[in-house]
Amino acid sequence: MGRQRKRVVTGEAAPPPRIDEKPAAFPRKEKKKKVDIGKVFINISIGLCIFSLIWFFYALYMRSSLSKRVITLHPSHPVLDANSSSAKVSTERFWGSYRPQVYFGMKTRSPRSIITGMMWMRQFSDMDVNLRHTCEQGDRLQGYGWMMHDGITFGVQEIRDNDFTLTTEFVKRMGGGHGGDWTWRITAKQHSSAPQAPVISLMFYAAADTQGSLEAHVEDRSRLASITGFSEELGNFKISFRKPVTGESSSAKYASYNYLQTVSPGLEKLSDIVKQSLNRRFVYSPPSGEKRHYIAVDAYKPPHHQNQQKPADTRKEGAFVLHQVTVQMPFQIEVLFESGSFHSRPNQLVGSVMTQELERRKAEFDSKFEKTFGLESKGYSQAHVKFGKAALSNMLGGMGYFYGQSVVQSVYNEYPLLYPEGALFTAVPSRSFFPRGFLWDEGFHQLLLSKWDPQVTRESIAHWIDLINMEGWIPREQILGDEARSKVPAEFVVQRNENANPPTLFLALQKLIEQLNSNPEKATSQPTLPFLRRLFPRLKTWFEWYNTTQTGPLPNSYRWRGRDKDTNLFLNPKTLTSGLDDYPRASHPSTEERHVDLHCWMALSSGIMASIARLLGEPHQDYELTHHVLSDNDKLNELHWSDQLNAFSDFGNHTQAVSLQQEKVYVPPGQPRHQFPVARLVRSVRRAPKLQFVNALGYVSLFPFLLQILTPDSPKLEHILRDMRDSNKLWTPYGLRSISKSDPMYMKRNTEHDAPYWRGPIWININYLAVRALHHYSNTEGPYQEMAAALYEELRTNIINNVYRQYVETGYIWEQYNDGTGRGQGSHPFTGWSSLTVLMMAEQY
């Protein structure tokens, strides 16, 4: 009892089992089977859980990794060194009129520059407050723009307000280690039609962009005599405000003075701060004349911190000091900037000294302009030459230096992200409407500027390419800094990384290569080879990005991404990424589309990539093969020639049976009329789309000709030249219209709010490419050489005459021109690619 029974290992039979005891062998086997199956299921479940967790964390990691790619810069060495724009490395270009968005102002090429500028305001006018500062079309000025500007040392601008003209001049003088000195001269003259001499207030200011200090020095209680300051890039400096005079070295004029010393949370707030500081309590009392109250800044009134519902601005504030002088015309006034490190200054750059320096710079500019473009030797009148100088000068004076972060998004990001901070030195299309960088515009800008100053072109391209991310994408619209962002509607701020823009920088690179090959010993061309060497790693990635992300459904076909997705509201969904916005594409966007213009851009780009690679001794065979395949006229015809249209065309899911119609809305019975829902214009599709050629004759149809992909003996060239010259299609007395007059989409609105943009009007950039191509085919042996030569002379003459005539009549170069009347329309001044008129005058392509 209580003892453990021992197991007997003998040959005897086992004792008989107890009656209540079950046989052990069989049940044990069955139980073991059940446990094994359960374990298998448990093990499988555990394995699946572990695999799911691993996959989950891997997917998270990959998504996180992919989401960061859009904001990860390219790993290769930047084209530009970090200090390439500094005063020590680039002394002559450190200070400049790099604020194209204001009528007159200067800054340095540094991220947090001390900025300077000018505002003005008419006194005793019918308008309450007519402050002018940032370039605005709504100001309705009779004209404004640079008449002379060499891009480096000086500039002369005319601003024609209603009944007076302000001439703003600046000249720089090198010395010291911080960019040297500069002087402004503002001359104000009334128009002969003015009934009496206007009284205006000029406001000169300096503002610190979150760093640097400014100190006001006041004399006679209200006159700001000077500002002294310090910043990391400028060291110590002084800005002096001289008193107004009737003319150079003439007697002083009576003037009233006011000043403002405060802080600003952002440079885009300067106009608002001034407006909020204005007061009518001041009296203008000239020695001979009535005393009158005038509007001026009140030094004692803070410009902000008022009871507002908006959240407080949390940005770091910067110093803002403004000098106001109120004076009757005519008068002249000078503002002098002196660098603290310029110790061997021979004299002050004012008065007759400034005049002599300015006249010397003007003479050098005139000489260089004629040497570069030869307009006088071609027989142009002085008025035409003056126009040509203004067109070039406005592009040079429209160069801006921007610093900040783009807002970007990829498919892997739920919300937009901030791109890394970066700088951009670029020309702008329009100082009033587009005062920022646009990728495809810049290639056209640099076609002109590379003739004048190849270094500007190298630096601009380098800045753009240094903004490339690891994927090879460059945001197509650069909205850098608060000033730039304040001018852009919210829906256009976010840049998406699947969206391209025509790679026109290759056109400018082509010009640099031609200059190098034609005269390798020329000093201005010698830096091009080392520049290309530093550029090439990033350029390869940029080209590959296009060649992989913008491919079409068939081999060697291409498709623009980023078309508008809401097909219900658009007559034809826009393709902003192509640069041609509302130009008609396939009516129903799909992955089956093939875009002929992008095909041609890739053919051009691959050829230039091959040229650069050969120059650098890099592998070039793949680029040459790509260029050969994309330039093959037979393959191009297969992909894009429409026998029905007898022209090159896009292909996609398309129907022409579309129109905008009033939306039918349900109105409940008894609903008051003023509460009726607003009926929109929506698209009506009367016939289902099918895969076919789009058959819209216009700029897109011309691209194999425009980019000179067609061989001189191609029969397709004859069709294109005939369509171009047909006044029922593309020809006008003012240039080529953007789409055929006989096309169903001609001058059709795209939505109830969007007027036709690339559906009829004449655009100078495409007309320049057409004139350039005609010049090429007229100088290349082939059956259509004479036809091209005749068209060349006629088209070139029409464009030059109309752009010049509109400039004389309106005071502006325009964004586009009406195809029926030739009148300028759209944004103005538009001295971006419309300035290519100068190259057509010079016959330099």
Side-chain angles (χ1 to χ4, degrees), residues 99 115 297 335 489 491 663 750 801:
R99 302 184 64 211
I115 68 161
V297 291
V335 178
E491 64 266 29
E663 186 179 28
N750 205 40
N801 287 348

Side-chain angles (χ1 to χ4, degrees), residues 300-520:
Y300 303 102
K301 181 181 177 183
H304 48 283
H305 304 311
Q306 298 176 359
N307 294 326
Q308 296 176 349
Q309 297 300 315
K310 293 180 181 179
D313 199 325
T314 57
R315 291 176 295 176
K316 184 180 177 182
E317 294 178 322
F320 177 36
V321 182
L322 179 142
H323 166 65
Q324 177 175 341
V325 52
T326 303
V327 60
Q328 189 171 34
M329 295 183 186
F331 68 87
Q332 190 174 91
I333 192 168
E334 292 175 348
V335 178
L336 172 65
F337 175 93
E338 294 175 300
S339 170
S341 63
F342 194 165
H343 301 300
S344 57
R345 186 179 293 112
N347 46 33
Q348 284 196 315
L349 189 60
V350 294
S352 60
V353 176
M354 181 192 179
T355 300
Q356 290 170 13
E357 190 66 18
L358 204 51
E359 290 306 313
R360 184 171 69 84
R361 305 287 185 182
K362 287 179 182 179
E364 289 173 354
F365 175 85
D366 288 340
S367 174
K368 182 179 178 181
F369 186 86
E370 178 58 25
K371 185 180 178 182
T372 305
F373 300 108
L375 299 192
E376 289 181 32
S377 64
K378 283 185 169 292
Y380 282 103
S381 69
Q382 283 303 308
H384 278 85
V385 173
K386 187 178 178 182
F387 157 75
K389 290 175 181 175
L392 170 69
S393 297
N394 271 301
M395 190 180 283
L396 287 164
M399 294 293 296
Y401 185 86
F402 305 94
Y403 189 86
Q405 295 174 279
S406 291
V407 183
V408 301
Q409 192 168 8
S410 77
V411 292
Y412 303 105
N413 304 115
E414 189 176 354
Y415 302 104
L417 304 173
L418 284 175
Y419 208 65
E421 284 190 326
L424 181 63
F425 180 53
T426 185
V428 303
S430 170
R431 290 171 61 191
S432 61
F433 208 76
F434 302 112
R436 53 192 177 277
F438 287 80
L439 182 55
W440 98 292
D441 292 65
E442 191 60 13
F444 288 109
H445 298 161
Q446 295 307 325
L447 286 173
L448 176 60
L449 296 183
S450 63
K451 297 286 186 183
W452 178 258
D453 186 352
Q455 182 59 21
V456 166
T457 299
R458 287 188 288 265
E459 289 197 22
S460 176
I461 292 174
H463 273 94
W464 275 99
I465 297 296
D466 274 346
L467 291 171
I468 196 170
N469 73 1
M470 66 181 296
E471 299 168 319
W473 173 68
I474 302 173
R476 67 184 185 87
E477 187 174 348
Q478 293 292 329
I479 311 165
L480 304 179
D482 295 326
E483 268 191 296
R485 199 164 295 154
S486 67
K487 302 274 279 186
V488 182
E491 64 266 29
F492 297 117
V493 169
V494 179
Q495 307 290 301
R496 289 175 171 78
N497 75 330
E498 69 270 19
N499 294 347
N501 224 195
T504 57
L505 294 183
F506 281 107
L507 289 171
L509 287 169
Q510 188 179 41
K511 289 298 138 195
L512 291 177
I513 294 167
E514 287 174 6
Q515 289 173 3
L516 178 63
N517 290 336
S518 64
N519 196 347

